[in-house]
Amino acid sequence: MKSHKFTIFPFLNTNIAAASNGDLFPLYYRLTYMRKNTMLRSFSKGVYADLEGQEIETVIETESQDIRALMALLTEMFTEPYDLPGIRVKYEVAQTSVLETIDQNIRDVISENLKSVQSEFGVAVHVGAYTDDYPLYVLMNAIEKLMPKEVEHVFGGSESYLNYLEDWLEVYPLGVQQPRIIDWLDISQIDKQFLKYLSGRYDSEEKVKEIMEGIFNLIITKINMPM
């Protein structure tokens, strides 16, 4: 199968003056794939006078690797067409932490199950979305206190996700810097710390593989969700 060339060209967008003196400009990338182009602004939010220096060179190297890994996924290793302007939203989604992705899947199951709960508290529970200020355990504690007889039903179908979350928090507890989705898309940067933990906890290689693939599938689903 033919592989298509994908290029990433970093540049400072001099059409946008980011400082009052007009000497500093935001970093952009011009992406080219199958003879089509688009521009993507750097997520670093930094402004620069030129492309030289350790700071901007590190940003360019890191973000270029991230963008290439994302495009490899979206194009099946650069063999399929892709509408380049769509990468902007996908790249934003890819900044989401893996923790948030697992957490939100659990909340989605809980939200659906609460619809069929025969309890006055069923409509009162605020499931919400993942935030640092509203971790999942707060929601789970509230459900267990408000409707103890419905716990099994409310959490039904989320068992695998809860297991993923338990393992994940052993390696990346709340409050520490969390790996992003994009960090899992480059096979050369796959999370060896998490993999090492799983290999030490479980005797079965199949179990480790099941968990890694399960989390990866959540990530792929998140990336491919319609926006």
Side-chain angles (χ1 to χ4, degrees), residues 1-2 33 70-81:
M1 188 174 293
K2 182 180 178 181
Y33 182 67
L70 179 59
M71 273 296 290
L73 172 70
L74 296 173
T75 62
E76 297 186 18
M77 296 303 296
F78 308 107
T79 61
E80 296 292 331

Side-chain angles (χ1 to χ4, degrees), residues 14 31 58 73 82 100 105 111 119 127 146-147 173 193 204 226:
T14 56
L31 312 181
T58 299
L73 172 70
Y82 183 73
E100 179 177 344
N105 275 270
S111 292
S119 167
V127 176
L146 292 173
M147 51 187 86
Q193 185 175 352
S204 168

Side-chain angles (χ1 to χ4, degrees), residues 14 49 60 86 158 162 184 203 209:
T14 56
I60 291 173
S158 67
L162 287 168
W184 271 53
D203 294 331
K209 181 180 178 182

Side-chain angles (χ1 to χ4, degrees), residues 102-103 105-107 110 136 140 154-169 201 218:
I102 300 172
D103 178 293
N105 275 270
I106 298 170
R107 290 176 194 261
I110 292 173
L136 186 66
M140 295 177 69
V154 173
F155 295 139
S158 67
E159 293 83 2
S160 293
Y161 304 148
L162 287 168
N163 288 337
Y164 298 161
L165 185 65
E166 180 182 355
D167 285 328
W168 188 264
L169 291 176
R201 177 173 183 182
L218 294 184

